[in-house]
């Protein structure tokens, strides 16, 4: 199975309101609710692609139970979340149906105790034994050490399980130094890591910091990748319009599924870009438009990145 | 015991954000969570006053379980909520810590099936047998007939249990016609019911429509009451500043506790006004500042309402 780690799981709520006006009262006309956190989105896409997936991370309180209830109804995803005393967070996207704009409210995650963090590491090392690949996704809840991903990367490497890291800031900086197989920053995260705003330059810089393969998301313009085998750009045939939430998670699912299927790198990148674009076409993260994906897959241009080294 | 009915129970969330700006992303710095819906607030105040209280209404889904978890930790309140398939709603008060202003987001309630409504009525009639008084509080969730409160009032009267109604709109109009012992509208709800914007006139009009006692909330100016025994105005000694949410629910708790303790009407009104004001002094509905309540209780002026009949 493929393992995805979401330390800061969430219950993602989407509220539709007619017109959001601060300091007034609003009737929510539509509520949708789904398990959230980047690794859970990755897992749902992997399951839809036919892979066996196990999700781990933390779950707590009534909101954690709600996340787990939703996972029960997600075929192909096995719930191995570790219980904690604190409460899993909610995120609320308030969609203004008049303008289509979204206002985001994100609760803080639960405070994790040192004992809970140790219990997680033990569960994680046990799960690694049957994992063909692992993705470490998203932010860290309060109480988890900032070097957490570096520790989890070292454990995966000790178990010879390929590991992908998708996070930002200091957890990314420390994680990269632990030599993960793949990191998948976006251009902003990469600029913060390397200090360079030139994505080609920054992608190469991130490799020097320890990542074997760096796959940089350029948003609607596709992906840029660099490793010991080469450097590529993967570009969709046209800009797709829709909801970009979850597009990066679908790219991670594309890269991981390509890895466990031993696809050549250009094919992995094409899959990642096609899945991303097909996710933008759906309103919900963790889901993609399957027929658009199948059509797009043959239309992704993957070229050697000719920028000077 | 005193029974409170909350057909549209809720999980009330309060989010603190630094500055609410539509179409941007916000970190919630503080989350508070409590059982909500007017009848649950009434119950918490009654329990704090030392009364045995049972709460009923509907509960569903993970949010309903969260409401019930909170009730478990509320001493003196017995949970007799009736399970339904739909999900209990959430309400979110987003407090802008820069300005103190609040933006409210209210989910719709769960859709109640005819079978669920019948099951509730059966449970309610059973609970009436051991009730000394009953309060029917708040809005109706989708699927509950608009004449629901009229039915519940007739059942209470058939069981000789005094019944107080606190709702608005058409459910209030139909409920009043079923001759409840007490209705407690605010001035706006009463104007909508009677067409009169003169609270004294409207209070008397509401009596003619069927309510034995009409207690009208005038907000910071106290209460106006009329029944066969007389007409009164109860006024706090000064305007208190704070959060008015839940002030009306505390007034209901004051009226009900005074009823079961057989206090004279002026004393019931003084208690209701003092509890309301002491609730404005706390940040949370369903709670009140006990020392302020005890001080205020002797300072409420209750006078005969001299307005011409």
């Amino acid at each position: 199975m493929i393992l995805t780690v979401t330390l800061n799981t969430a219950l993602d709520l989407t509220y539709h309101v007619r017109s959001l006006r601060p300091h007034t009262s609003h009737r929510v006309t539509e509520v949708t609710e789904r398990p959230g956190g980047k690794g859970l989105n990755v897992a749902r896409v992997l399951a839809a692609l036919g892979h066996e997936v196990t999700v781990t991370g933390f779950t707590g309180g009534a909101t954690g139970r709600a996340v787990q209830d939703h996972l029960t109804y997600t075929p192909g995803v096995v719930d191995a979340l570790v219980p904690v005393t604190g409460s899993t967070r909610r995120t609320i996207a308030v969609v203004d149906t008049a303008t289509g704009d979204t206002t985001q409210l994100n609760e803080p995650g639960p405070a994790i105790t040192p004992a809970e963090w140790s219990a997680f590491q033990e569960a994680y090392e046990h799960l690694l034994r049957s994992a063909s690949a692992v993705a470490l996704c998203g932010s860290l809840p309060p109480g988890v050490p900032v070097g957490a991903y570096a520790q989890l990367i070292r454990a995966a490497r000790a178990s010879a399980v390929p590991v992908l890291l998708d996070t930002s800031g200091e957890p990314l900086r420390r994680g990269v130094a632990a030599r993960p197989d793949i990191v998948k920053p976006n251009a902003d995260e990469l600029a913060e890591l390397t200090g360079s705003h030139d994505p080609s330059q920054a992608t190469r810089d991130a490799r020097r910091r320890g990542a074997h393969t760096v796959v940089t998301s350029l948003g609607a313009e596709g992906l840029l990748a660099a490793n010991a085998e080469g450097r590529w750009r993967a570009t969709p045939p046209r800009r797709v319009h829709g909801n970009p939430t979850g597009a990066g998670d679908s790219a991670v699912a594309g890269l991981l599924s390509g890895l466990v299927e031993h696809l050549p790198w250009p094919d992995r990148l094409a899959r990642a870009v096609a899945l991303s674009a097909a996710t933008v076409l759906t309103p919900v993260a963790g889901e993609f438009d399957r027929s658009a994906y199948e059509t797009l897959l043959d239309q992704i241009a993957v070229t050697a990145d000719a920028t000077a080294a």
Side-chain angles (χ1 to χ4, degrees), chain A:
Chain A
M1 55 84 174
I2 299 174
L3 180 63
T4 77
V5 173
T6 317
L7 295 177
N8 216 354
T9 46
L11 184 67
D12 286 345
L13 304 175
T14 304
Y15 283 180
H16 283 194
V17 301
R18 193 133 44 219
S19 181
L20 181 65
R21 288 188 305 143
H23 318 149
T24 67
S25 192
H26 304 80
R27 270 190 53 212
V28 176
T29 54
E30 198 185 308
V31 181
T32 56
E33 201 180 293
R34 59 173 195 282
K38 293 160 81 78
L40 298 193
N41 295 337
V42 172
R44 291 162 69 210
V45 173
L46 283 168
L49 291 172
H51 288 274
E52 284 181 10
V53 197
T54 296
V55 295
T56 189
F58 295 114
T59 178
T63 305
R65 286 203 305 273
V67 167
Q68 294 185 286
D69 284 354
H70 284 287
L71 290 176
T72 305
Y73 296 102
T74 310
V77 175
V78 174
D79 170 4
L81 294 170
V82 173
V84 291
T85 303
S87 270
T88 297
R89 69 198 169 116
R90 303 178 193 85
T91 76
I92 302 185
V94 184
V95 178
D96 187 324
T97 55
T99 64
D101 287 314
T102 296
T103 306
Q104 190 73 36
L105 299 164
N106 296 327
E107 293 187 9
I112 304 299
T113 67
E116 289 167 343
W117 172 236
S118 295
F120 172 79
Q121 287 175 285
E122 204 171 305
Y124 170 76
E125 290 183 21
H126 183 79
L127 288 164
L128 280 176
R129 291 182 209 158
S130 42
S132 53
V134 56
L136 309 175
C137 304
S139 60
L140 302 177
V144 170
V146 71
Y149 283 137
Q151 292 178 50
L152 300 183
I153 288 163
R154 283 191 287 267
R157 288 170 52 79
S159 300
V161 178
V163 54
L164 181 151
L165 176 63
D166 183 11
T167 188
S168 61
E170 191 60 22
L172 172 60
R173 182 183 306 274
R174 304 240 189 157
V176 165
R179 308 187 64 75
D181 295 273
I182 307 172
V183 292
K184 193 219 66 60
N186 62 33
D188 287 345
E189 291 160 351
L190 194 62
E192 196 195 336
L193 176 69
T194 63
S196 166
H197 287 272
D198 168 2
S200 286
Q201 175 68 45
T203 299
R204 293 192 302 273
D205 282 2
R207 279 203 67 219
R208 265 181 238 120
R209 286 167 181 269
H212 290 273
T213 298
V214 180
V215 181
T216 304
S217 162
L218 304 175
E221 288 160 51
L223 296 172
L224 202 59
N227 62 18
E229 296 170 42
R231 299 206 309 275
W232 302 270
R233 241 175 219 280
T235 315
R238 59 188 173 277
R239 179 180 281 265
V240 294
H241 295 278
N243 175 10
T245 313
D249 305 329
S250 292
V252 169
L255 296 174
L256 277 183
S257 64
L259 183 157
V260 301
E261 294 170 35
H262 306 290
L263 298 186
W265 266 101
D267 293 353
R268 298 187 198 181
L269 297 172
R271 180 182 285 185
V273 171
L275 276 173
S276 269
T279 297
V280 172
L281 294 170
T282 65
V284 169
E287 293 177 14
F288 61 95
D289 178 326
R290 185 174 293 268
S291 79
Y293 164 63
E294 284 164 6
T295 307
L296 282 161
L297 196 54
D298 293 331
Q299 300 177 345
I300 308 297
V302 183
T303 57
D305 181 24
T307 320

